[in-house]
Amino acid sequence: MQGFVDVVRGFLDLGATVILPVAIFLLGLIFGQKPGKAFRSGLTIGVAFVGIFLVVDLLVNNLGPAAQGMVDRLGVELTVIDVGWPATSSIAWASIVAAFIIPLGLIVNVIMLLTKTTKTMNVDIWNYWHYTFMAAMIYAISDSIIQGLIGAVIFQIVCLKVADWTAPMVNDFYEMPGVSVATGSTISYAPGIFLVKGLQKIPGVKNWNADPDTIQKRFGIFGESIFIGLALGAIIGILAGYGVGDVIEIGMAMAAVMVLMPRMVKILMEGLMPVSESARQWLNKRFGDREIHIGLDAAVLLGHPSVISTALILVPITVLLAVILPGNALLPFGDLATIPFIVAFIVGAAKGNIVHSVIVGTVMIAISLYIATDVAPLFTEMANNADFDMPEGSATISSIDQGGNIVNYIIYKIFDLFN
Protein backbone atom coordinates (compact mmCIF):
# COMPACT_ATOMS: atom_id res chain seq x y z
CA MET A 1 0.00 0.00 0.00
CA GLN A 2 2.74 2.45 0.97
CA GLY A 3 4.54 1.75 -2.30
CA PHE A 4 1.42 2.67 -4.28
CA VAL A 5 1.00 5.85 -2.22
CA ASP A 6 4.62 6.78 -2.99
CA VAL A 7 4.01 6.26 -6.72
CA VAL A 8 0.91 8.49 -6.57
CA ARG A 9 2.79 11.16 -4.65
CA GLY A 10 5.67 10.96 -7.12
CA PHE A 11 3.24 11.49 -10.00
CA LEU A 12 1.59 14.45 -8.30
CA ASP A 13 4.95 15.96 -7.41
CA LEU A 14 5.39 16.55 -11.13
CA GLY A 15 2.85 19.34 -10.69
CA ALA A 16 0.24 20.91 -12.93
CA THR A 17 2.84 21.83 -15.57
CA VAL A 18 3.25 18.11 -16.39
CA ILE A 19 -0.02 16.53 -15.30
CA LEU A 20 -2.37 18.94 -17.09
CA PRO A 21 -0.61 18.78 -20.49
CA VAL A 22 -0.68 14.97 -20.34
CA ALA A 23 -4.37 15.02 -19.37
CA ILE A 24 -5.21 17.49 -22.16
CA PHE A 25 -3.26 15.44 -24.73
CA LEU A 26 -5.11 12.24 -23.77
CA LEU A 27 -8.45 14.04 -23.79
CA GLY A 28 -7.68 15.41 -27.24
CA LEU A 29 -7.04 11.89 -28.53
CA ILE A 30 -10.19 10.55 -26.86
CA PHE A 31 -12.25 13.30 -28.46
CA GLY A 32 -10.98 12.56 -31.95
CA GLN A 33 -8.21 15.10 -32.41
CA LYS A 34 -5.20 14.15 -34.52
CA PRO A 35 -2.15 13.31 -32.35
CA GLY A 36 -0.21 16.35 -33.58
CA LYS A 37 -3.03 18.78 -32.79
CA ALA A 38 -3.72 17.16 -29.40
CA PHE A 39 0.00 17.28 -28.55
CA ARG A 40 0.20 20.95 -29.51
CA SER A 41 -2.79 21.78 -27.29
CA GLY A 42 -1.26 19.94 -24.33
CA LEU A 43 2.15 21.51 -24.89
CA THR A 44 0.67 25.01 -25.18
CA ILE A 45 -1.26 24.56 -21.93
CA GLY A 46 1.89 23.22 -20.26
CA VAL A 47 3.87 26.28 -21.37
CA ALA A 48 1.08 28.56 -20.14
CA PHE A 49 1.07 26.92 -16.71
CA VAL A 50 4.86 27.17 -16.50
CA GLY A 51 4.42 30.90 -17.08
CA ILE A 52 1.51 31.18 -14.64
CA PHE A 53 3.40 29.46 -11.85
CA LEU A 54 6.52 31.51 -12.49
CA VAL A 55 4.37 34.59 -11.95
CA VAL A 56 2.79 32.99 -8.87
CA ASP A 57 6.28 32.26 -7.51
CA LEU A 58 7.13 35.92 -8.07
CA LEU A 59 4.06 36.80 -6.01
CA VAL A 60 4.88 34.29 -3.26
CA ASN A 61 8.56 35.17 -2.98
CA ASN A 62 7.73 38.84 -2.50
CA LEU A 63 4.60 38.61 -0.33
CA GLY A 64 6.03 36.07 2.13
CA PRO A 65 8.91 38.21 3.41
CA ALA A 66 6.73 41.35 3.33
CA ALA A 67 4.10 39.64 5.48
CA GLN A 68 6.79 38.52 7.90
CA GLY A 69 7.99 42.12 8.06
CA MET A 70 4.49 43.35 8.93
CA VAL A 71 4.14 40.71 11.64
CA ASP A 72 7.53 41.60 13.13
CA ARG A 73 6.66 45.30 13.19
CA LEU A 74 3.38 44.59 14.98
CA GLY A 75 5.11 42.39 17.54
CA VAL A 76 2.41 39.74 17.15
CA GLU A 77 2.42 36.77 19.53
CA LEU A 78 0.18 34.08 18.03
CA THR A 79 0.59 30.37 18.79
CA VAL A 80 -0.58 28.70 15.54
CA ILE A 81 1.61 29.03 12.43
CA ASP A 82 0.07 29.11 8.95
CA VAL A 83 2.33 26.66 7.07
CA GLY A 84 0.72 27.23 3.66
CA TRP A 85 -0.74 24.91 1.06
CA PRO A 86 2.52 23.13 0.01
CA ALA A 87 2.98 21.78 3.53
CA THR A 88 -0.74 21.04 3.81
CA SER A 89 -0.74 19.00 0.61
CA SER A 90 2.29 16.97 1.72
CA ILE A 91 0.51 16.17 5.00
CA ALA A 92 -2.55 15.09 3.01
CA TRP A 93 -0.64 12.75 0.69
CA ALA A 94 1.10 11.12 3.65
CA SER A 95 -2.24 9.71 4.84
CA ILE A 96 -3.13 6.05 4.29
CA VAL A 97 -6.28 7.12 2.40
CA ALA A 98 -4.29 9.04 -0.24
CA ALA A 99 -3.82 6.04 -2.55
CA PHE A 100 -7.56 5.78 -3.21
CA ILE A 101 -8.34 9.42 -4.00
CA ILE A 102 -7.29 9.79 -7.64
CA PRO A 103 -9.00 6.63 -9.00
CA LEU A 104 -12.05 7.27 -6.84
CA GLY A 105 -12.21 10.91 -7.88
CA LEU A 106 -12.02 10.04 -11.58
CA ILE A 107 -14.77 7.42 -11.21
CA VAL A 108 -17.04 9.87 -9.37
CA ASN A 109 -16.52 12.55 -12.03
CA VAL A 110 -17.29 10.11 -14.89
CA ILE A 111 -20.42 8.83 -13.14
CA MET A 112 -21.66 12.38 -12.57
CA LEU A 113 -21.03 13.27 -16.22
CA LEU A 114 -22.88 10.17 -17.44
CA THR A 115 -25.80 10.81 -15.08
CA LYS A 116 -25.85 14.50 -16.04
CA THR A 117 -25.38 15.56 -12.42
CA THR A 118 -22.42 17.73 -13.41
CA LYS A 119 -21.30 19.62 -16.49
CA THR A 120 -17.65 19.74 -15.40
CA MET A 121 -15.00 17.39 -16.70
CA ASN A 122 -12.34 18.14 -14.12
CA VAL A 123 -8.84 17.55 -15.52
CA ASP A 124 -7.23 19.39 -12.59
CA ILE A 125 -6.01 16.13 -11.04
CA TRP A 126 -3.14 17.94 -9.35
CA ASN A 127 -5.64 19.65 -7.03
CA TYR A 128 -7.20 16.38 -5.92
CA TRP A 129 -5.02 16.92 -2.86
CA HIS A 130 -7.88 19.00 -1.41
CA TYR A 131 -10.10 15.90 -1.48
CA THR A 132 -7.23 13.92 0.03
CA PHE A 133 -6.90 16.35 2.93
CA MET A 134 -10.64 16.07 3.58
CA ALA A 135 -10.35 12.28 3.67
CA ALA A 136 -7.27 12.46 5.90
CA MET A 137 -9.05 14.72 8.42
CA ILE A 138 -12.01 12.36 8.74
CA TYR A 139 -9.73 9.32 8.93
CA ALA A 140 -7.82 11.03 11.75
CA ILE A 141 -10.98 11.41 13.87
CA SER A 142 -12.68 8.13 12.91
CA ASP A 143 -9.85 5.69 12.13
CA SER A 144 -12.12 4.61 9.26
CA ILE A 145 -10.91 4.58 5.65
CA ILE A 146 -14.51 4.22 4.44
CA GLN A 147 -15.64 7.35 6.30
CA GLY A 148 -12.63 9.23 5.00
CA LEU A 149 -13.40 8.29 1.39
CA ILE A 150 -17.08 9.17 1.80
CA GLY A 151 -16.06 12.60 3.11
CA ALA A 152 -13.73 13.09 0.14
CA VAL A 153 -16.49 12.15 -2.32
CA ILE A 154 -18.92 14.58 -0.66
CA PHE A 155 -16.32 17.33 -0.89
CA GLN A 156 -15.65 16.51 -4.55
CA ILE A 157 -19.37 16.57 -5.39
CA VAL A 158 -19.71 20.00 -3.73
CA CYS A 159 -16.69 21.25 -5.71
CA LEU A 160 -18.16 20.02 -9.01
CA LYS A 161 -21.59 21.49 -8.30
CA VAL A 162 -20.07 24.85 -7.35
CA ALA A 163 -17.95 24.68 -10.52
CA ASP A 164 -21.15 24.19 -12.56
CA TRP A 165 -22.87 27.05 -10.73
CA THR A 166 -20.01 29.50 -11.25
CA ALA A 167 -19.17 28.48 -14.85
CA PRO A 168 -21.39 31.24 -16.35
CA MET A 169 -19.46 33.80 -14.29
CA VAL A 170 -16.15 32.34 -15.50
CA ASN A 171 -17.46 32.59 -19.05
CA ASP A 172 -18.92 36.11 -18.80
CA PHE A 173 -16.62 37.99 -16.42
CA TYR A 174 -13.33 36.14 -16.96
CA GLU A 175 -14.09 35.59 -20.66
CA MET A 176 -13.15 31.92 -20.53
CA PRO A 177 -15.85 29.99 -22.42
CA GLY A 178 -16.02 26.25 -21.76
CA VAL A 179 -14.00 26.53 -18.53
CA SER A 180 -15.02 25.92 -14.93
CA VAL A 181 -13.05 25.85 -11.68
CA ALA A 182 -13.45 23.12 -9.05
CA THR A 183 -10.32 23.91 -7.00
CA GLY A 184 -11.08 23.15 -3.34
CA SER A 185 -9.61 26.37 -1.92
CA THR A 186 -11.53 28.56 -4.38
CA ILE A 187 -14.93 26.92 -3.92
CA SER A 188 -14.53 27.43 -0.16
CA TYR A 189 -15.22 31.12 -0.66
CA ALA A 190 -18.20 30.60 -2.97
CA PRO A 191 -20.58 31.54 -0.09
CA GLY A 192 -19.06 35.01 -0.41
CA ILE A 193 -21.02 35.34 -3.67
CA PHE A 194 -24.22 35.67 -1.62
CA LEU A 195 -22.56 38.35 0.53
CA VAL A 196 -21.61 40.26 -2.62
CA LYS A 197 -25.20 40.14 -3.88
CA GLY A 198 -26.44 41.35 -0.49
CA LEU A 199 -23.85 44.14 -0.39
CA GLN A 200 -24.88 45.33 -3.83
CA LYS A 201 -28.44 45.88 -2.60
CA ILE A 202 -27.50 48.18 0.29
CA PRO A 203 -28.32 51.83 -0.54
CA GLY A 204 -25.19 53.90 -0.87
CA VAL A 205 -22.81 50.96 -0.49
CA LYS A 206 -23.93 49.51 -3.80
CA ASN A 207 -22.60 52.66 -5.49
CA TRP A 208 -19.09 52.25 -4.08
CA ASN A 209 -17.31 51.24 -7.25
CA ALA A 210 -13.64 50.79 -8.04
CA ASP A 211 -13.06 48.41 -10.92
CA PRO A 212 -10.03 48.65 -13.26
CA ASP A 213 -11.99 50.44 -16.01
CA THR A 214 -13.37 53.07 -13.61
CA ILE A 215 -9.94 53.62 -12.05
CA GLN A 216 -8.33 54.00 -15.46
CA LYS A 217 -10.95 56.51 -16.60
CA ARG A 218 -10.37 58.59 -13.48
CA PHE A 219 -6.57 58.44 -13.33
CA GLY A 220 -5.65 57.98 -16.99
CA ILE A 221 -2.47 56.00 -17.58
CA PHE A 222 -1.83 55.94 -13.83
CA GLY A 223 -5.00 53.89 -13.50
CA GLU A 224 -3.65 51.08 -15.67
CA SER A 225 -3.02 47.72 -14.00
CA ILE A 226 0.76 48.12 -14.25
CA PHE A 227 0.64 51.31 -12.14
CA ILE A 228 -1.89 49.80 -9.72
CA GLY A 229 0.48 46.86 -9.15
CA LEU A 230 3.41 49.22 -8.61
CA ALA A 231 1.45 51.33 -6.09
CA LEU A 232 -0.02 48.39 -4.12
CA GLY A 233 3.34 46.61 -4.01
CA ALA A 234 5.07 49.75 -2.75
CA ILE A 235 2.42 50.22 -0.03
CA ILE A 236 2.95 46.63 1.14
CA GLY A 237 6.70 47.25 1.23
CA ILE A 238 6.23 50.41 3.30
CA LEU A 239 3.93 48.55 5.75
CA ALA A 240 6.60 45.86 6.03
CA GLY A 241 9.17 48.49 7.03
CA TYR A 242 11.31 48.08 3.91
CA GLY A 243 13.93 50.55 2.80
CA VAL A 244 13.45 52.62 -0.36
CA GLY A 245 15.22 50.11 -2.62
CA ASP A 246 13.19 47.15 -1.38
CA VAL A 247 9.94 49.14 -1.63
CA ILE A 248 10.68 49.84 -5.29
CA GLU A 249 11.66 46.21 -5.85
CA ILE A 250 8.41 44.75 -4.48
CA GLY A 251 6.46 47.43 -6.37
CA MET A 252 8.11 46.37 -9.62
CA ALA A 253 7.41 42.71 -8.84
CA MET A 254 3.70 43.37 -8.32
CA ALA A 255 3.57 45.49 -11.48
CA ALA A 256 5.09 42.53 -13.34
CA VAL A 257 2.45 40.19 -11.87
CA MET A 258 -0.31 42.50 -13.09
CA VAL A 259 1.06 42.58 -16.64
CA LEU A 260 2.34 39.03 -17.09
CA MET A 261 -0.51 37.00 -15.59
CA PRO A 262 -3.18 38.00 -18.16
CA ARG A 263 -0.77 37.16 -20.97
CA MET A 264 -0.08 33.70 -19.58
CA VAL A 265 -3.81 33.04 -19.30
CA LYS A 266 -4.25 34.12 -22.93
CA ILE A 267 -1.69 31.50 -23.99
CA LEU A 268 -3.51 28.89 -21.91
CA MET A 269 -6.81 29.62 -23.66
CA GLU A 270 -5.06 29.27 -27.02
CA GLY A 271 -4.24 25.67 -26.11
CA LEU A 272 -7.52 24.88 -24.39
CA MET A 273 -10.06 26.06 -26.94
CA PRO A 274 -9.40 23.35 -29.60
CA VAL A 275 -9.73 20.58 -27.00
CA SER A 276 -12.81 22.17 -25.46
CA GLU A 277 -14.49 22.39 -28.86
CA SER A 278 -13.58 18.79 -29.73
CA ALA A 279 -14.94 17.61 -26.38
CA ARG A 280 -18.21 19.44 -26.93
CA GLN A 281 -18.66 17.97 -30.43
CA TRP A 282 -17.78 14.43 -29.27
CA LEU A 283 -20.18 14.55 -26.33
CA ASN A 284 -22.97 16.14 -28.35
CA LYS A 285 -22.81 13.32 -30.91
CA ARG A 286 -23.20 10.69 -28.18
CA PHE A 287 -25.28 12.38 -25.50
CA GLY A 288 -27.14 15.11 -27.35
CA ASP A 289 -26.62 18.84 -27.18
CA ARG A 290 -24.94 19.20 -23.78
CA GLU A 291 -22.99 21.99 -22.17
CA ILE A 292 -19.64 20.63 -20.98
CA HIS A 293 -16.97 22.58 -19.11
CA ILE A 294 -13.31 21.68 -18.72
CA GLY A 295 -12.36 22.00 -15.04
CA LEU A 296 -9.02 23.79 -14.61
CA ASP A 297 -6.83 25.09 -11.79
CA ALA A 298 -8.06 28.37 -10.27
CA ALA A 299 -4.79 29.93 -11.40
CA VAL A 300 -6.51 30.61 -14.75
CA LEU A 301 -8.66 33.23 -13.00
CA LEU A 302 -5.70 35.24 -11.76
CA GLY A 303 -5.32 37.02 -15.09
CA HIS A 304 -7.90 39.66 -14.21
CA PRO A 305 -6.30 42.73 -12.60
CA SER A 306 -9.15 43.03 -10.05
CA VAL A 307 -8.20 39.66 -8.55
CA ILE A 308 -4.57 40.59 -7.90
CA SER A 309 -5.52 44.10 -6.73
CA THR A 310 -8.06 42.71 -4.25
CA ALA A 311 -5.58 40.13 -2.98
CA LEU A 312 -2.78 42.67 -2.46
CA ILE A 313 -5.09 44.92 -0.45
CA LEU A 314 -6.23 41.92 1.62
CA VAL A 315 -2.67 40.90 2.60
CA PRO A 316 -2.17 43.64 5.24
CA ILE A 317 -5.85 43.39 6.20
CA THR A 318 -5.39 39.66 6.91
CA VAL A 319 -2.39 40.34 9.14
CA LEU A 320 -4.35 43.05 10.97
CA LEU A 321 -7.35 40.74 11.40
CA ALA A 322 -5.12 38.10 12.96
CA VAL A 323 -4.01 40.65 15.55
CA ILE A 324 -7.38 42.18 16.46
CA LEU A 325 -9.81 39.24 16.22
CA PRO A 326 -10.52 37.93 19.73
CA GLY A 327 -9.99 34.18 19.92
CA ASN A 328 -7.87 33.90 16.79
CA ALA A 329 -4.54 32.12 17.28
CA LEU A 330 -3.40 31.72 13.65
CA LEU A 331 -0.42 33.75 12.47
CA PRO A 332 -0.96 34.25 8.71
CA PHE A 333 2.09 33.54 6.65
CA GLY A 334 2.33 30.60 4.22
CA ASP A 335 -1.05 31.11 2.58
CA LEU A 336 -1.02 34.89 2.18
CA ALA A 337 0.01 34.37 -1.44
CA THR A 338 -2.98 32.03 -1.86
CA ILE A 339 -5.42 34.92 -1.36
CA PRO A 340 -5.80 35.56 -5.13
CA PHE A 341 -7.02 31.97 -5.53
CA ILE A 342 -9.55 32.09 -2.71
CA VAL A 343 -11.12 35.44 -3.65
CA ALA A 344 -11.47 34.79 -7.40
CA PHE A 345 -15.17 33.86 -7.22
CA ILE A 346 -15.89 36.86 -4.99
CA VAL A 347 -14.23 39.22 -7.47
CA GLY A 348 -16.15 37.63 -10.34
CA ALA A 349 -19.46 37.97 -8.50
CA ALA A 350 -18.63 41.63 -7.78
CA LYS A 351 -17.87 42.08 -11.51
CA GLY A 352 -14.43 43.38 -10.67
CA ASN A 353 -15.56 45.91 -8.08
CA ILE A 354 -12.48 46.00 -5.85
CA VAL A 355 -14.24 47.80 -2.97
CA HIS A 356 -17.00 45.21 -2.67
CA SER A 357 -14.51 42.38 -3.18
CA VAL A 358 -12.27 43.63 -0.36
CA ILE A 359 -15.22 44.04 2.05
CA VAL A 360 -16.55 40.53 1.42
CA GLY A 361 -13.04 39.08 1.28
CA THR A 362 -12.32 40.55 4.73
CA VAL A 363 -15.42 38.86 6.20
CA MET A 364 -14.58 35.50 4.60
CA ILE A 365 -10.94 35.59 5.69
CA ALA A 366 -12.01 36.39 9.26
CA ILE A 367 -14.16 33.24 9.20
CA SER A 368 -11.23 31.24 7.81
CA LEU A 369 -8.93 32.43 10.59
CA TYR A 370 -11.34 31.16 13.23
CA ILE A 371 -11.81 27.84 11.42
CA ALA A 372 -8.06 27.36 10.99
CA THR A 373 -7.59 28.08 14.70
CA ASP A 374 -10.27 25.54 15.65
CA VAL A 375 -8.81 22.69 13.57
CA ALA A 376 -5.20 23.45 14.54
CA PRO A 377 -4.91 20.63 17.13
CA LEU A 378 -6.13 18.03 14.60
CA PHE A 379 -4.02 19.60 11.85
CA THR A 380 -0.94 19.35 14.08
CA GLU A 381 -1.76 15.73 14.98
CA MET A 382 -1.98 14.87 11.26
CA ALA A 383 1.36 16.62 10.65
CA ASN A 384 3.04 14.66 13.45
CA ASN A 385 1.64 11.38 12.10
CA ALA A 386 3.07 12.30 8.69
CA ASP A 387 6.51 13.00 10.24
CA PHE A 388 6.22 16.58 9.03
CA ASP A 389 9.14 18.86 9.98
CA MET A 390 7.52 21.50 12.16
CA PRO A 391 8.62 25.12 11.66
CA GLU A 392 11.27 26.17 14.14
CA GLY A 393 9.80 27.46 17.38
CA SER A 394 6.24 26.30 16.62
CA ALA A 395 4.26 23.59 18.38
CA THR A 396 0.92 24.02 16.62
CA ILE A 397 0.23 24.56 12.92
CA SER A 398 -2.68 25.07 10.52
CA SER A 399 -3.35 26.86 7.22
CA ILE A 400 -5.77 29.36 5.70
CA ASP A 401 -6.12 27.34 2.49
CA GLN A 402 -7.42 23.96 3.68
CA GLY A 403 -7.26 24.36 7.45
CA GLY A 404 -9.53 27.39 7.09
CA ASN A 405 -11.60 25.91 4.25
CA ILE A 406 -15.27 26.58 5.03
CA VAL A 407 -16.79 23.69 3.04
CA ASN A 408 -14.14 21.30 4.34
CA TYR A 409 -14.92 22.41 7.90
CA ILE A 410 -18.68 21.85 7.59
CA ILE A 411 -18.18 18.29 6.28
CA TYR A 412 -15.58 17.58 8.97
CA LYS A 413 -17.91 18.80 11.74
CA ILE A 414 -20.76 16.61 10.48
CA PHE A 415 -18.53 13.52 10.64
CA ASP A 416 -17.19 14.64 14.01
CA LEU A 417 -20.71 14.35 15.44
CA PHE A 418 -20.64 10.59 14.84
CA ASN A 419 -17.07 10.03 16.05
Side-chain angles (χ1 to χ4, degrees):
M1 176 66 74
Q2 186 57 45
F4 182 67
V5 172
D6 291 340
V7 170
V8 171
R9 290 185 65 186
F11 173 66
L12 290 167
D13 284 343
L14 296 173
T17 55
V18 174
I19 295 172
L20 281 174
V22 171
I24 293 296
F25 171 67
L26 294 176
L27 281 177
L29 294 179
I30 291 170
F31 295 137
Q33 284 189 322
K34 293 180 179 180
K37 189 175 182 180
F39 183 75
R40 187 184 188 284
S41 291
L43 185 61
T44 302
I45 286 174
V47 168
F49 266 100
V50 168
I52 286 171
F53 286 118
L54 283 173
V55 179
V56 170
D57 284 344
L58 181 64
L59 189 69
V60 171
N61 293 336
N62 282 275
L63 283 187
Q68 186 64 55
M70 291 181 213
V71 169
D72 292 342
R73 293 188 78 195
L74 290 170
V76 179
E77 293 291 340
L78 296 170
T79 58
V80 181
I81 304 298
D82 168 21
V83 292
W85 72 262
T88 308
S89 63
S90 68
I91 293 168
W93 289 117
S95 171
I96 192 173
V97 296
F100 303 98
I101 297 300
I102 289 182
L104 181 62
L106 292 172
I107 291 169
V108 169
N109 198 174
V110 170
I111 291 173
M112 291 183 69
L113 284 167
L114 293 175
T115 56
K116 299 183 179 181
T117 49
T118 187
K119 300 176 183 177
T120 295
M121 181 186 302
N122 189 18
V123 300
D124 186 20
I125 300 171
W126 182 60
N127 270 312
Y128 274 31
W129 77 263
H130 292 97
Y131 311 151
T132 307
F133 189 83
M134 177 81 267
M137 282 187 77
I138 294 175
Y139 176 75
I141 62 172
S142 67
D143 203 28
S144 167
I145 292 177
I146 298 298
Q147 286 193 47
L149 296 180
I150 291 172
V153 169
I154 293 172
F155 189 38
Q156 180 184 6
I157 291 172
V158 172
C159 287
L160 290 172
K161 298 303 289 185
V162 171
D164 292 341
W165 175 47
T166 54
M169 174 182 67
V170 173
N171 176 71
D172 298 338
F173 177 74
Y174 289 103
E175 298 180 348
M176 303 188 73
V179 172
S180 62
V181 170
T183 306
S185 52
T186 306
I187 68 98
S188 169
Y189 276 44
I193 294 173
F194 298 107
L195 294 181
V196 169
K197 291 180 178 179
L199 197 66
Q200 292 179 336
K201 293 179 181 178
I202 300 174
V205 176
K206 66 181 181 181
N207 297 322
W208 297 350
N209 190 26
D211 59 71
D213 290 339
T214 303
I215 293 172
Q216 187 168 350
K217 287 177 183 177
R218 180 167 295 182
F219 296 101
I221 63 169
F222 294 104
E224 293 178 10
S225 59
I226 188 171
F227 289 103
I228 294 173
L230 177 67
L232 291 176
I235 290 169
I236 288 175
I238 292 169
L239 292 175
Y242 285 178
V244 175
D246 289 334
V247 167
I248 295 173
E249 185 177 343
I250 191 172
M252 287 298 297
M254 295 306 104
V257 170
M258 287 288 208
V259 173
L260 295 175
M261 188 64 81
R263 299 187 183 185
M264 295 303 105
V265 172
K266 186 177 180 180
I267 295 172
L268 183 143
M269 290 305 297
E270 178 187 329
L272 180 66
M273 290 311 297
V275 177
S276 180
E277 185 58 33
S278 297
R280 191 171 291 107
Q281 292 175 0
W282 188 91
L283 290 165
N284 287 345
K285 286 179 182 178
R286 288 157 180 80
F287 302 105
D289 190 13
R290 289 185 59 189
E291 185 182 9
I292 298 295
H293 311 129
I294 305 297
L296 294 178
D297 190 297
V300 300
L301 305 183
L302 271 57
H304 199 284
S306 291
V307 176
I308 301 297
S309 298
T310 298
L312 292 179
I313 294 169
L314 283 171
V315 167
I317 289 176
T318 301
V319 175
L320 180 62
L321 283 174
V323 175
I324 66 174
L325 286 177
N328 171 65
L330 183 77
L331 176 63
F333 180 66
D335 272 331
L336 285 173
T338 308
I339 293 177
F341 294 83
I342 60 181
V343 299
F345 282 167
I346 292 172
V347 174
K351 293 182 170 55
N353 187 322
I354 297 171
V355 175
H356 291 168
S357 299
V358 168
I359 292 171
V360 174
T362 300
V363 174
M364 299 301 291
I365 288 174
I367 295 171
S368 282
L369 289 173
Y370 280 124
I371 291 174
T373 297
D374 187 51
V375 303
L378 177 62
F379 196 111
T380 305
E381 178 188 334
M382 292 165 60
N384 289 330
N385 291 339
D387 294 325
F388 175 75
D389 291 331
M390 301 287 282
E392 186 178 349
S394 64
T396 311
I397 61 173
S398 189
S399 74
I400 293 175
D401 183 321
Q402 200 64 11
N405 188 297
I406 297 168
V407 176
N408 181 92
Y409 185 70
I410 293 170
I411 298 171
Y412 153 67
K413 279 298 185 182
I414 291 172
F415 277 84
D416 194 36
L417 293 173
F418 303 101
N419 289 281

